Amino acid sequence: MAIKQHIRLTVDAVVFGYIPKEGIVVLLIKRTIEPYLHSWALPGGFVRDEESLEDAVTRELLTESGVNINYLEQLYTFGGPDRDPRGRVVSIAYFGLVNPTNYKLAASSDAEDASWFNIKDLPDLAFDHATIIDLAVKRLRNKIRYEPIGFELLDKKFPIADLEKLYETLLDRSIDRRNFQKKINHLGILIAHNEKQKQVSQGRPAKLFSFNEDKYFQLKKEGMAFEI
């Protein structure tokens, strides 16, 4: 028996950032085409016949927002039959982490605007993108507990207080700062610098650190135990 299929394939990118005064933010674009004309949505679009999924999501993210990042992790496949009014469309969602200060947003292609939104204060979103973001936030909060991916959200050099605040923001709860520093120091994944930065909330300048990627990947290969 012949099977009739009229399924099209898209990709969507959930890109998280961290702005100290605002918290965890996600990148959204405003659509210039139907359906959901002028609505906010995740960067994304249809996969071309000649490209891979990874090439498609990288292309859509760059052309719609001006953001180009090295690594996007596949999140989930969304394939509800009624998720897109244009017909049966399956979307492969990806998520990644960036430092927003490293990018100047530039909307183009089928996007008229691009902006960062706090994950706790999102506008009405097109399609099922609110559901996609909700799942991505849960994945991020679970992953951050056992893998130090939060360093992607910080400046290259940062005071330890910024790292602590980031984890509290990501986990949406307070952490035991003494135990946190003890775990980080025990792993040896920070490089201390002979530089200091004045902190608004503190009287004395704070020492700066950077992430030791080589040490981290070595520990990960050895089965590192990292849990906050």
Side-chain angles (χ1 to χ4, degrees), residues 2-165:
I3 297 176
K4 291 185 178 180
Q5 279 189 334
H6 300 283
I7 298 175
R8 289 184 288 178
L9 184 64
T10 61
V11 287
D12 289 303
V14 186
V15 179
F16 292 113
Y18 174 62
I19 301 175
K21 291 183 178 180
E22 296 183 32
I24 303 302
V25 293
V26 64
L27 177 62
L28 299 177
I29 57 97
K30 184 175 281 190
R31 293 173 57 82
T32 60
I33 59 174
E34 294 285 3
Y36 300 103
L37 178 65
H38 304 311
S39 293
W40 289 99
L42 292 168
F46 288 100
V47 180
R48 295 171 180 170
D49 288 342
E50 71 280 4
E51 66 183 349
S52 68
L53 295 175
E54 291 75 16
D55 287 343
V57 71
T58 301
R59 171 181 55 78
E60 288 289 347
L61 183 58
L62 180 60
T63 58
E64 290 187 339
S65 68
V67 172
N68 185 21
I69 61 179
N70 294 326
Y71 178 73
L72 285 165
E73 178 178 324
Q74 196 169 122
L75 173 68
Y76 196 74
T77 301
F78 295 84
D82 300 321
R83 62 177 302 274
D84 192 318
R86 293 170 294 188
R88 187 68 190 276
V89 179
V90 173
S91 179
I92 312 296
Y94 289 76
F95 87 100
L97 306 174
V98 299
N99 184 335
T101 61
N102 294 336
Y103 297 92
K104 183 177 181 180
L105 300 184
S108 61
S109 182
D110 53 359
E112 62 180 294
D113 195 7
S115 186
W116 297 100
F117 286 84
N118 189 297
I119 59 171
K120 293 184 177 182
D121 189 23
L122 297 175
D124 291 334
L125 297 173
F127 307 104
D128 54 354
H129 290 184
T131 300
I132 295 176
I133 292 174
D134 185 59
L135 183 64
V137 169
K138 291 177 181 176
R139 172 75 66 83
L140 176 62
R141 285 179 172 159
N142 285 332
K143 189 167 185 176
I144 200 75
R145 295 184 61 185
Y146 62 84
E147 188 171 340
I149 57 175
F151 291 100
E152 295 288 342
L153 301 172
L154 294 172
D155 293 331
K156 290 293 183 182
K157 296 180 182 179
F158 51 86
I160 196 71
D162 281 8
L163 183 62
E164 293 166 352
K165 184 179 178 182

